[in-house]
Every structure is written in C-alpha cells, then in structure tokens.
Amino acid sequence: MAATTTRRDPVAEDPPDDGPGGLGKPTARGRFPRGRFRIPRSALPYVLLAPAIVLELLVHVIPMAVGIGMSFLKLTQFHIRHWTSAPGAGFDNYRLAVDFDGPVGKALLDSFWVTVMFTVLVVGISWLLGITGAILMQGAFRGRGFLRALFLVPYALPVYTGVITFGFMFQRDTGLVNHVLVDQLGLVDDRPFWLIGGNSFWALVVTAVWRTWPFAFLCLMAALQNIPRDVYEAAALDGAGVWQQIRRVTIPMLAPVNRVVLLVLFLWTFNDFNTPYVLFGKSAPDEADLISIHIYQNSFVTWNFGTGSAMSVLLLLFLLLVTAVYLGVGRIRRGKSDA
C-alpha cells in the first residue's frame, strides 16, 4: 500500500507575520524587508529634525515675531483683549525708548548702565573663580572628587531654590549675612539693608556669581584636561614657574574655550531675569534695576506692551551687535596669530 503524502499549505497553516508596523516578517539576519512605509534616506534627517524645528518655532521664532509686531502698536491695557486691533504707533515706541531726555528713555538708560556694570562684575568674577578652581582641581589629592561635586552644586540646583535661599540670607533682622557680620564678627554696628537701597546691587551680584561661576568652572576644567602634561613638563624644564606656566601655557591654550565661555556668560548675565525677579519681586530697587526686569515692569506693571516690546527689540539688536563684534574681533585675532 503506497503511502500517501499531503502537501502543506504554507499560507493556510503559517499566516504571515507582518511584524511591528506592518513591515513584514524579519529575515534570518533580523532585518525587516523594505516596505511601502519606508522613509527615503534623503528625507530622514528632516523627519528627525521636524519636532525640534516645530518646538523652536513655537517657543522662540513665533513669539519673537509677535513681539516685534507689538512694538509698532499702541498696545495698552485698553486693547489687550483684542490686541490685533490696537492702533498703529509706527516708530513712536522706539523714539520714546531712546529719548534719553524724557523720563522713559532716561530710566531705560540708567537701567542699561546698571546692567552693564552688573554684567562686567558677574562675568569677570565668575570667570576668575572658574579658572582658579579648574587649575586647583587638576592636581591629584584626597577629596578632589568631593570638591568637584561640591563646586557644581549651585549649577545643579534650580534657580528659584538658590535665589530664594539667598533672599532669606540677606534679610535684615533674621538673615544669616547680618548675623555673621554684626553678631559674630562685629564688623558693623547697625544691621544694613541688603534687599533695598544701594546694597541691593551687591546682593544681586553675589547671588548671580554664586549661580554662574560653576558653569565657567565646569567648561574650563574639561578644557584643561585636554592640555598635554608634556607641555607643562617642558615649560618646567625651561625654568618656568607656576605663574609663568599659567600665563604662557594655560591661558593661551584655553583661548578658544574662553571665547565661548565669556560669550555665553555675557549673554546669560545681561539677559538675567530670574535672579532679580525672585530676589526683589516685580519692582527691583533703582540700584539693582536690570534691563530685563525694567522691560518687565514697563510691559506687565504699567501695561504698556508696545513700549516694552520696543525695548525688547532694542535689547535684542544690542546683543546681536555685541555678539557680531565679539566674534569678528576673535576671527581677526585668530587670523593674525595663524599668519
């Protein structure tokens, strides 16, 4: 009796596995065959960048364009509900902002100079502390890892946490600063005010430096680790001391990183809004009236959004000009050094 054989229907018994997303059953090498939903290779970078581009448009580009448009309107609290119907102002808001003989322009100019002094002090001190800490942390010693982590704590803490803590420390009657200066050290007889008056500027500088210098420390410490030790050994054999090594070797080799660090610190500090707002509230003292908080007051306290937007556009143009000049001078210096 002959044996009968039956043919198996692979379609009926083994239904195809479409795999995830309908791409088909994976091959022996674990790859999926090319399907109809395959993204062209040339379009893949744009697809991956699309979410970032959309968020950039929503968060930065569109609000910036709206702010520029608002600067040409007489937008006050009377038109805020239907702000697109506000009457046009032309360049009147800009003329009002740069009229330094008038009260609005004079207040803006005073705030600008306060911001310039604040930026120079914060950036200079932060960079000096950063480069000093980075150099000291290069040598191997016990507890170096702990100190590195400790120095980065202000950078890791949320802004509001650190600034609110300093706000409590600078309180006149119950603050830690006056307790140390008056009760512990006896350096002053009367408890000074730190959050109002002339001392408010120095309280703002101290708080901003505490928040800013760990960024310079982190960047410069990473850059120092890329400098070969052979360069320092050769300089030491030539008789160069520690200061000469820092001046002749460390600083020149850190020039590219320093240019970036100083530019970033300048932009962050000149635009700093969180520190004065959390430390002083909506109305900062005149001595600590940074231009960011000044624009906020003109926009959201006096409800003159047109003038506030014009001030914001002027601030943007100033920062773009300073950045362009800074990068241009750096490029010229690099060209001369290469020649």
Side-chain angles (χ1 to χ4, degrees):
M1 183 175 181
T4 60
T5 60
T6 59
R7 295 180 60 186
R8 298 177 57 189
D9 188 356
V11 178
E13 297 187 8
D14 296 327
D17 185 6
D18 289 339
L23 297 178
K25 189 175 181 179
T27 61
R29 296 183 179 181
R31 299 178 180 177
F32 290 95
R34 296 182 179 182
R36 57 181 177 178
F37 299 107
R38 181 174 179 270
I39 299 175
R41 185 181 299 272
S42 60
L44 182 60
Y46 301 99
V47 174
L48 296 177
L49 288 174
I53 294 175
V54 172
L55 290 177
E56 183 70 18
L57 289 174
L58 294 177
V59 176
H60 290 102
V61 178
I62 294 178
M64 186 184 303
V66 173
I68 294 174
M70 290 170 56
S71 65
F72 295 99
L73 300 175
K74 294 180 180 179
L75 185 58
T76 60
Q77 68 268 30
F78 302 106
H79 305 91
I80 190 62
R81 185 173 182 179
H82 304 285
W83 67 273
T84 55
S85 62
F91 289 94
D92 291 342
N93 292 325
Y94 292 92
R95 295 190 187 98
L96 183 65
V98 298
D99 183 13
F100 302 133
D101 294 329
V104 177
K106 185 178 183 301
L108 180 63
L109 183 62
D110 294 339
S111 177
F112 172 78
W113 289 120
V114 171
T115 308
V116 169
M117 183 62 65
F118 168 78
T119 303
V120 170
L121 290 175
V122 172
V123 173
I125 297 175
S126 298
W127 180 86
L128 184 61
L129 292 176
I131 189 66
T132 303
I135 293 175
L136 293 177
M137 292 295 107
Q138 292 305 305
F141 57 90
R142 181 176 299 179
R144 183 180 63 172
F146 172 76
L147 288 178
R148 286 180 175 180
L150 183 64
F151 289 165
L152 295 177
V153 167
Y155 186 67
L157 280 178
V159 176
Y160 290 91
T161 303
V163 179
I164 289 174
T165 302
F166 270 91
F168 285 119
M169 293 172 59
F170 283 121
Q171 292 293 327
R172 180 180 184 271
D173 297 324
T174 59
L176 178 63
V177 175
N178 281 342
H179 175 71
V180 173
L181 293 178
V182 179
D183 300 333
Q184 300 294 329
L185 301 179
L187 297 178
V188 291
D189 297 330
D190 193 14
R191 296 178 180 272
F193 290 95
W194 292 103
L195 300 180
I196 59 175
N199 291 330
S200 60
F201 176 79
W202 301 109
L204 182 61
V205 169
V206 170
T207 306
V209 168
W210 181 83
R211 286 188 51 241
T212 306
W213 84 270
F215 172 77
F217 166 73
L218 180 63
C219 295
L220 296 174
M221 182 177 62
L224 281 175
Q225 293 178 354
N226 293 325
I227 299 178
R229 301 303 304 175
D230 299 342
V231 179
Y232 291 101
E233 294 175 359
L237 292 176
D238 292 337
V242 176
W243 172 247
Q244 290 180 338
Q245 293 180 19
I246 295 174
R247 182 182 177 184
R248 301 295 183 181
V249 177
T250 303
I251 300 300
M253 298 192 73
L254 287 179
V257 178
N258 278 327
R259 281 193 291 266
V260 177
V261 170
L262 290 176
L263 179 60
V264 173
L265 289 179
F266 165 76
L267 295 176
W268 282 1
T269 307
F270 207 94
N271 280 317
D272 192 4
F273 173 80
N274 293 328
T275 303
Y277 183 80
V278 177
L279 197 61
F280 304 115
K282 296 181 180 180
S283 180
D286 293 338
E287 293 81 1
D289 185 24
L290 299 185
I291 196 168
S292 58
I293 201 76
H294 185 82
I295 294 174
Y296 172 83
Q297 291 173 357
N298 280 271
S299 298
F300 296 97
V301 176
T302 62
W303 294 85
N304 197 338
F305 294 96
T307 305
S309 299
M311 293 179 180
S312 298
V313 174
L314 292 175
L315 175 61
L316 174 63
L317 294 177
F318 170 77
L319 294 177
L320 290 176
L321 178 62
V322 172
T323 303
V325 172
Y326 181 83
L327 295 177
V329 171
R331 186 178 295 111
I332 293 174
R333 289 184 176 179
R334 288 197 302 272
K336 291 182 178 179
S337 61
D338 293 340

